[in-house]
Amino acid sequence: MLSSLHDFIERLEHLRDLQQVSVPVATRLEIAAITRRISSYPKGGPALLFQQPDESPFPVATNLFGSQRRMRLALGLDSLEDLTVSFDAILQTLPVQGLTGLGGLLAGHPDLACCRPVTVAHGPCREELVPGADLLQFPFLHNWPDDGTAAGTGRYLTLGQVVTTAPDGSDPNCGIYRCQIHDAHTLAIRWRRGSGAVQHHQQFIQQGMRMPVAIVLGGPPSLTLTAAWPLPVGLDEVSCAGWLRGASIPMVACSHGPLQVPAEAELVIEGFAEPDRPLVEGPFGNHTGQYDPAGPAARVTVTRITRRRNPIVPATVVGPPPQEDCWMMLGWERLLAALLSRLVPGVRDIRMPLPWVFRSSAVISLENPSPHMVRKTVQALWQLPWFRKAHLLIVVDAEIAARDLQQVAWRTVNETDWLDDLIRDEAGGRLAVDATRRSIEALLPDAATDRLLIQRWKEYGLP
């Protein structure tokens, strides 16, 4: 069970899956460029620990989740497939009729309810109070040349878990959002449209109130992941992270509102999202390979920063895949596989190729599909929040493993009738391909010869 970023890094060192960079490196562009090159290595390259970012006393860690091996370690799994099996076992016990209310049902399930957060009085995240609550003394990264050129600085908190609640302290939310540093005491945070944080902020604005905000860096690796995943509404990220790691997460209270943060965090930034005077955030180099244009964002006034005595600053670098964020979403893909098999009849599996992850595009395998079933399934998927912006869905029958992209590509090109098997959604700009098998005369090997090869393979002297 991993309780903190320090635990995670120690484990990676033991497994020789962490590369330390001991020479001084710049937080402006240099660390990001190094990280991008390493993350493009086969299987994701090692995690990185920069000991002297801008000669700061606070190390920076990147590419922490940037491989399937490290994702398994962060989740305490032998295989990511185990995540689908465990989640499906929970879903099988619930009266699932659709997505509405599903998050609440999951939150109340005994396996998750027993892992709800527990409140403690103190924790490592409160060991030191940062004088002046100065953001600029920390080595936050500037990843792409034009980041933040509209206003403020180009430095971002890219792996900050932003904690908010409703005005009455209910409905806690923990999500990863872009946090641009404008000055020593001001952040511009761009909430994701439809997210819990944007809903909370609107509620505070309607009451003319400042919204308490806490930004957490570090803590249990499982919480960093659930904060990044689009969980069903009603399932809170901290409880889900507790379930993933097999134990409740200890939390400490914040001084400025009804917020709680992980006791084992590296750094906690507290403040208020103002009800007026939004800031400009961006542009920001994103996973699309382009800059997201600058736009309005919440103005967050920082009032307090606490930290461990020896904090490590986690950061992620986004850009054209493969990057760390693609690997992070593989855990969500395995949860989604279990969800879809319950929400959409006939779905056997789902795979999101790394370059497709952030366009919600996927390969979907179906049991015994017919053309009518394929179209009905695609329409059902497009109604779900996770596929409303899916650029492309490819549907194959369950004989083809959705993860076998070579077979998927072969089937798509060879079996698709491009006049009849393209399913277009002109209004939404979405496309699906029915690549389920039509051929009657499929090539099948001779069973007797296959058995002979198994018996004689060593005799052939072949690898």
Side-chain angles (χ1 to χ4, degrees), residues 103-376:
L105 289 173
L106 286 166
H109 189 278
D111 287 2
L112 280 92
C114 71
C115 294
R116 288 172 181 157
V118 294
T119 303
V120 297
H122 304 286
C125 71
R126 299 303 195 197
E127 288 175 341
E128 299 283 347
L129 179 66
V130 176
D134 183 358
L135 290 166
L136 298 180
Q137 68 175 274
F138 294 98
F140 299 124
L141 303 188
H142 182 152
N143 288 347
W144 291 96
D146 290 343
D147 280 357
T149 50
T153 76
R155 298 171 64 184
Y156 277 79
L157 286 67
T158 52
L159 214 53
Q161 303 152 53
V162 182
V163 180
T164 62
T165 68
D168 63 0
S170 65
D171 189 30
N173 183 76
C174 180
I176 292 181
Y177 310 104
R178 295 207 303 259
C179 303
Q180 181 188 354
I181 297 174
H182 268 239
D183 57 44
H185 304 102
T186 311
L187 291 166
I189 301 184
R190 182 84 73 97
W191 322 117
R192 285 195 305 274
R193 185 177 300 175
S195 66
V198 76
Q199 294 174 29
H200 291 159
H201 197 208
Q202 286 301 316
Q203 293 168 15
F204 275 90
I205 288 172
Q206 289 168 8
Q207 297 183 26
M209 298 167 57
R210 307 170 88 195
M211 179 175 74
V213 174
I215 301 116
V216 176
L217 291 163
S222 61
L223 181 55
T224 303
L225 293 171
T226 58
W229 295 344
L231 300 177
V233 174
L235 175 58
D236 77 276
E237 294 80 9
V238 183
S239 294
C240 185
W243 170 70
L244 288 169
R245 79 185 199 119
S248 298
I249 295 176
M251 307 285 282
V252 295
C254 292
S255 61
H256 70 312
L259 305 179
Q260 292 193 327
V261 294
E264 292 277 359
E266 303 293 308
L267 195 70
V268 177
I269 300 166
E270 299 175 50
F272 295 89
E274 308 295 349
D276 53 9
R277 300 180 300 126
L279 290 172
V280 173
E281 182 271 331
F284 181 79
N286 215 341
H287 48 258
T288 58
Q290 303 172 337
Y291 286 98
D292 280 358
R299 176 192 295 268
V300 173
T301 304
V302 175
T303 57
R304 185 179 187 231
I305 302 176
T306 63
R307 63 174 177 85
R308 286 176 176 261
R309 291 191 183 92
N310 56 342
I312 297 170
V313 178
T316 192
V317 176
V318 298
Q323 298 292 329
E324 177 185 16
D325 52 354
C326 299
W327 296 100
M328 292 172 71
M329 293 305 289
L330 288 186
W332 167 244
E333 176 205 79
R334 293 298 81 214
L335 291 180
L336 187 57
L339 280 169
L340 290 183
S341 68
R342 296 284 287 162
L343 295 172
V344 183
V347 171
R348 161 77 74 84
D349 197 9
I350 173 176
R351 297 289 165 165
M352 295 179 174
L354 292 186
W356 295 12
V357 165
F358 289 98
R359 288 299 187 183
S360 302
S361 297
V363 178
I364 308 289
S365 65
L366 299 183
E367 295 279 5
N368 302 316
S370 65
H372 175 72
M373 177 187 176
V374 170
R375 291 178 177 271
K376 185 176 179 180

Side-chain angles (χ1 to χ4, degrees), residues 364 366 369-376 378 392-397 408 411-418 420-424 431-438:
I364 308 289
L366 299 183
S370 65
H372 175 72
M373 177 187 176
V374 170
R375 291 178 177 271
K376 185 176 179 180
V378 167
L392 177 65
L393 298 177
I394 294 179
V395 183
V396 297
D397 55 75
V408 169
R411 179 66 65 82
T412 301
V413 170
N414 280 277
E415 298 289 342
T416 301
D417 183 328
W418 297 105
D420 295 332
D421 295 336
L422 295 185
I423 306 168
R424 298 178 180 85
L431 182 69
V433 178
D434 179 357
T436 55
R437 172 168 284 173
R438 305 286 195 295

Side-chain angles (χ1 to χ4, degrees), residues 359-361 382 386-393 429-431:
R359 288 299 187 183
S360 302
S361 297
W382 281 343
W386 309 297
F387 298 103
R388 285 177 185 154
K389 295 183 179 180
H391 281 200
L392 177 65
L393 298 177
R430 300 173 295 194
L431 182 69

Side-chain angles (χ1 to χ4, degrees), residues 37-60:
R37 181 172 294 189
I38 290 294
S39 66
S40 69
Y41 286 6
K43 299 183 180 180
L48 299 171
L49 185 65
F50 298 92
Q51 295 286 4
Q52 296 189 69
D54 287 343
E55 301 185 352
S56 167
F58 308 122
V60 168

